[in-house]
Amino acid sequence: MSRFPRGFVENSSMEEPKPSTRPSICFRPINPSDLERLEQIHRDIFPIRYESEFFQNVVNGGDILSWAAVDRSRPDGYSDELIGFVTAKIGPAKETEISDLIRYDSCKGEETLVYILTLGVVESYRKRGIAKLLIKEVIKYASSIPVCRGVYLHVIAHNNPAIRLYKRMSFRCVKRLHGFYIINGQHFDSFLFVYFINGSRSPCSPFDLVVLVLNYMRSGIKSVASKLTMKQEEKGLKWIKCKDMTRCLLPTQTKRNLASERASAGYDYV
């Protein structure tokens, strides 16, 4: 299992003033002045609670990576306020829950993975591609590290908008984890998505194997059905070879009539 805290990604959020028709979205690291705002957004959009230590680690640049999205077109005093964010952590690939899915290169030494902890965008800035851009920032950072093999994350199984986003961005769903999240005493499943980088490719995941087996069974059934159909058709057909080397399939019951007609024309039948 991963030694990282369980992450949660979300694209919905609190109510915010409507952005301008042409927002100027920029990205920067999260800093100490963002602490109150960061805690507020997490409380408003996530059903799970994060410890104060987590936020202190993010804003003080500890071992948690962060990117803040801000809208420079907002009025003075708000142009540097968070409207979206992503936090992540980097660690040894062999200590994660997907270590068995990584193709390792022994020449590169200890290889790593980046785990996305939290991702969120305030309500008024949704559907503007900001979450996608934040993820791209993480991927760009991870890709710049030669020993990094991928970016991965968990998403609650009913968060369909987020799931569609990751699939569009070429993340691969490699596992379904039953009861991964406990929210208000209830268990919820999670999907685990991975974006492989720097030449890393996974062997067949369990999902891939299921698809392969189903496709194999489907093709096998079609093949058997086709053979049975051909055998049924062949019962009433017979090959007739004409003198001019032309081959045709003719019903057996019509052979007699055709033979009498062709005999007068000098054709032989085999």
Side-chain angles (χ1 to χ4, degrees):
M1 294 293 292
S2 171
R3 64 187 182 90
F4 300 146
R6 295 187 176 187
F8 205 97
V9 293
E10 184 62 66
N11 287 332
S12 62
S13 183
M14 49 193 283
E15 292 185 3
E16 289 283 323
K18 290 186 178 181
S20 64
T21 55
R22 293 186 179 181
S24 177
I25 306 301
C26 298
F27 302 99
R28 61 167 175 79
I30 295 176
N31 56 55
S33 65
D34 297 315
L35 178 60
E36 184 177 348
R37 174 72 169 171
L38 184 67
E39 290 179 330
Q40 177 191 1
I41 298 176
H42 274 74
R43 284 194 304 268
D44 290 341
I45 70 177
F46 296 137
I48 57 179
R49 295 292 174 258
Y50 290 86
E51 299 292 335
S52 175
E53 182 182 358
F54 167 76
F55 296 109
Q56 291 293 336
N57 201 333
V58 173
V59 301
N60 291 314
D63 59 349
I64 294 180
L65 309 167
S66 68
W67 288 262
V70 298
D71 181 4
R72 299 300 187 193
S73 68
R74 298 180 76 181
D76 291 341
Y78 295 95
S79 63
D80 199 47
E81 186 179 68
L82 267 66
I83 52 92
F85 61 85
V86 61
T87 64
K89 194 166 185 177
I90 188 168
K94 291 184 178 179
E95 295 183 12
T96 68
E97 60 198 296
I98 60 169
S99 59
D100 57 329
L101 299 178
I102 301 299
R103 184 175 296 171
Y104 295 95
D105 185 347
S106 58
C107 299
K108 291 188 175 181
E110 186 175 52
E111 295 172 318
T112 61
L113 288 169
V114 171
Y115 178 56
I116 293 181
L117 294 165
T118 60
L119 168 68
V121 177
V122 298
E123 180 68 28
S124 57
Y125 281 85
R126 291 186 63 203
K127 298 182 179 179
R128 294 174 179 267
I130 297 174
K132 182 177 180 179
L133 292 173
L134 284 165
I135 295 172
K136 283 186 174 182
E137 290 293 314
V138 179
I139 292 174
K140 182 170 66 174
Y141 167 82
S143 300
S144 70
I145 304 172
V147 296
C148 188
R149 310 303 282 167
V151 176
Y152 76 110
L153 56 86
H154 295 97
V155 58
I156 199 165
H158 60 248
N159 190 346
N160 293 321
I163 291 170
R164 288 193 293 269
L165 170 63
Y166 304 136
K167 288 182 176 180
R168 288 197 300 267
M169 295 187 69
S170 299
F171 277 76
R172 289 180 59 188
C173 184
V174 296
K175 289 182 181 179
R176 180 170 186 144
L177 305 172
H178 297 282
F180 182 81
Y181 292 111
I182 302 177
I183 302 173
N184 297 326
Q186 288 186 298
H187 292 263
F188 295 88
D189 291 356
S190 166
F191 289 119
L192 195 155
F193 281 86
V194 185
Y195 186 95
F196 295 100
I197 60 173
N198 294 331
S200 176
R201 291 291 184 274
S202 85
C204 288
S205 70
F207 274 41
D208 293 330
L209 290 174
V210 169
V211 172
L212 287 172
V213 170
L214 290 175
N215 287 339
Y216 178 80
M217 292 174 62
R218 190 177 294 113
S219 63
I221 292 172
K222 287 182 179 179
S223 177
V224 171
S226 177
K227 288 180 180 179
L228 290 174
T229 302
M230 290 178 64
K231 286 183 179 180
Q232 291 295 328
E233 292 176 348
E234 288 173 356
K235 288 181 180 180
L237 299 173
K238 186 175 181 180
W239 283 104
I240 298 178
K241 184 177 181 180
C242 302
K243 189 174 182 180
D244 61 358
M245 301 303 292
T246 301
R247 291 181 181 270
C248 55
L249 274 174
L250 297 172
T252 304
Q253 62 186 14
T254 64
K255 176 183 175 182
R256 189 174 303 155
N257 294 335
L258 183 60
S260 60
E261 293 173 3
R262 292 293 181 86
S264 59
Y267 285 92
D268 294 330
Y269 298 89
V270 176

